[in-house]
Amino acid sequence: MSRAHNFSAGPAALPLETLQEAQQEFLDFAGSGSSVIELSHRGAEYVEVDRQARERLTRILGLGDDFEVLFLQGGASHQFMMVPFNFLGTSQTADYINTGTWSKKAIKEAKLFGRVNVAYSSEELNFSRVPADSELTLTEGAEYVHFTSNNTIFGTQFRKEPETAGVPLVCDASSDFLSRPLDVNRYGIIYAGAQKNAGPAGLTIVIIRKDFLQKGKKDGIPTILNYNTHLGTMFNTPPVFGVYMFNKVLAWIEKNGGLAQMESRNAHKAQLLYNEIDADDFYSGTTEPASRSHMNVTFRLKDEELNKAFLQEAEKRNLKGLKGHRSVGGFRASIYNACETESVEALVAFMKEFRR
Ligand SMILES: *Cc1c(COP(=O)(O)O)cnc(C)c1O
């Protein structure tokens, strides 16, 4: 068996030991004689998985009693609609920070429900940066400020939460969720599709602060789209395999030093790549240095004629998933938590070799 150096943007690499554990217990989970995907989600075995995942997430993020954790489906894209459905009335305003394709999609949905103020946009710069606090044009009394903490396609990331003068943040954290500690009390909602940094596709993690939820709309929301429906109970069948794998990834994060350790390891991996990109003008980064992502490292060759050769040769060295998104071109190395430092080192070694 030869495992790839996997730089896929999503679904993405998961910690090897979580896959091995799942493989080992796949046919007979917890002595049940069945796989975890063949058991009732209301049975004792799965209820325990669900409980562990919530408990671990709460511990890892340091969530107080004032937060609810929901395991939903539909991806982050579903939250683009569900957030304003619950929190943005026709005469209310929300601020949205437009830093990429995903932010734009969130804005489009929000406009169906209420007033949207775009507090900042880097669209004219092909989303090559995120704003400083001083560049935000915020609305006084906004319901919330929505931002995308890491822009998966363009390779930019907020180094810290935007300053909003007390207005709750709503964050699409899909591609850097659990990659570093968060100041959780600044948030009304944090949502993330699991498939970038936390588990397999199919699970969407939503963390919601109770006092923020209180301010939501009270009626006119279809049952399954109302956050209140999902509090403290499984309204319908959850994505059981997703939660099961997520629980294993959480255990792996705890075993490996928690979010502080994830953050320093991710920063180190990113630095290895950016150092190589900046070494001379053979490669160039596609984003402003101060906005560079520690999750998705985007770069290109000065001579784009060589793009195909770069990808082909990389492939031969077992370096996979490096093709950049079509809206940026070039390359993208996605180096989420589970991407090993040695995979990044192998990529850097190849970049040197290719330059020679
Ligand atoms: C991948 C991604 C999405 C889309 O996620 P789906 O689960 O496919 O809906 C949204 N936002 C960000 C930041 C992403 O990286």
Side-chain angles (χ1 to χ4, degrees):
M1 181 189 75
S2 157
R3 295 269 302 164
H5 294 300
N6 183 352
F7 298 99
S8 171
L14 289 172
L16 179 59
E17 67 189 64
T18 66
L19 300 173
Q20 286 168 331
E21 257 180 47
Q23 179 184 45
Q24 203 225 325
E25 61 194 24
F26 194 62
L27 298 183
D28 180 8
F29 177 63
S32 66
S34 297
S35 151
V36 68
I37 59 172
E38 300 172 298
L39 294 167
S40 166
H41 57 292
R42 312 221 183 252
E45 295 90 350
Y46 181 76
V47 166
E48 175 60 12
V49 169
D50 177 273
R51 190 195 64 75
Q52 283 183 11
R54 285 167 198 281
E55 188 183 282
R56 287 191 166 119
L57 182 62
T58 299
R59 201 160 52 222
I60 288 171
L61 278 172
L63 300 173
D65 290 343
D66 44 345
F67 286 90
E68 298 276 353
V69 173
L70 314 181
F71 295 143
L72 305 183
Q73 307 192 34
S77 302
H78 192 82
Q79 294 304 307
F80 296 164
M81 163 273 293
M82 197 161 159
V83 167
F85 214 145
N86 282 260
F87 292 102
L88 190 59
T90 46
S91 59
Q92 295 175 321
T93 302
D95 287 338
Y96 276 71
I97 303 176
N98 184 18
T99 53
T101 309
W102 300 116
S103 305
K104 233 175 123 168
K105 290 188 177 184
I107 289 168
K108 179 172 176 234
E109 298 308 298
K111 284 181 172 167
L112 297 171
F113 297 93
R115 297 193 186 135
V116 173
N117 168 51
V118 177
Y120 170 85
S121 175
S122 51
E123 186 162 16
E124 270 134 60
L125 303 166
N126 200 29
F127 297 119
S128 58
R129 66 192 298 273
V130 295
D133 290 334
S134 60
E135 296 172 287
L136 299 174
T137 316
L138 300 172
T139 308
E140 213 182 301
E143 300 307 309
Y144 56 86
V145 178
H146 182 282
F147 77 115
T148 313
S149 49
N150 182 75
N151 298 282
T152 326
I153 291 176
F154 295 94
T156 64
Q157 186 177 29
F158 284 81
R159 288 271 72 79
K160 60 173 191 54
E161 287 87 1
E163 246 352 291
T164 59
V167 176
L169 291 167
V170 172
C171 181
D172 175 3
S174 293
S175 54
D176 65 358
F177 188 54
L178 303 177
S179 72
R180 58 180 177 179
L182 292 180
D183 185 359
V184 289
N185 294 314
R186 302 275 320 277
Y187 294 86
I189 299 186
I190 303 166
Y191 63 87
Q195 73 272 18
K196 310 287 165 56
N197 204 27
L203 165 65
T204 312
I205 300 125
V206 178
I207 298 165
I208 188 163
R209 210 172 67 208
K210 288 177 189 165
D211 64 350
F212 183 67
L213 188 58
Q214 297 274 310
K215 291 188 297 185
K217 289 186 243 170
K218 297 289 175 269
D219 42 40
I221 305 170
T223 309
I224 196 169
L225 298 184
N226 190 326
Y227 288 108
N228 290 289
T229 302
H230 301 278
L231 301 182
T233 166
M234 294 178 220
F235 170 67
N236 66 332
T237 316
V240 293
F241 188 71
V243 175
Y244 162 82
M245 287 304 299
F246 180 51
N247 185 37
K248 292 194 184 301
V249 170
L250 292 169
W252 176 85
I253 289 173
E254 284 199 305
K255 203 177 111 185
N256 288 280
L259 298 185
Q261 202 50 42
M262 293 296 130
E263 180 175 44
S264 60
R265 203 170 78 115
N266 290 328
H268 172 66
K269 289 183 296 182
Q271 204 51 57
L272 291 176
L273 282 168
Y274 288 120
N275 284 348
E276 192 53 36
I277 290 165
D278 292 341
D280 58 23
D281 63 2
F282 186 72
Y283 299 106
S284 63
T286 66
T287 61
E288 279 191 15
S291 300
R292 284 174 164 177
S293 169
H294 290 180
M295 298 275 96
N296 309 97
V297 176
T298 50
F299 60 101
R300 54 170 70 100
L301 286 161
K302 191 168 183 188
D303 179 359
E304 302 224 331
E305 299 276 288
L306 292 173
N307 276 4
K308 225 172 123 194
F310 182 93
L311 289 172
Q312 278 171 354
E313 292 299 317
E315 191 84 17
K316 283 187 202 158
R317 286 156 187 77
N318 212 15
L319 302 160
K320 307 276 178 74
L322 289 167
K323 193 173 186 335
H325 191 273
R326 63 187 180 283
S327 52
V328 187
F331 313 107
R332 169 174 54 174
S334 298
I335 53 169
Y336 303 119
N337 286 351
C339 174
E340 296 291 344
T341 305
E342 76 185 34
S343 289
V344 173
E345 288 167 348
L347 174 55
V348 169
F350 167 65
M351 288 167 72
K352 288 184 197 295
E353 183 192 347
F354 191 79
R355 179 195 287 107
R356 278 202 301 275

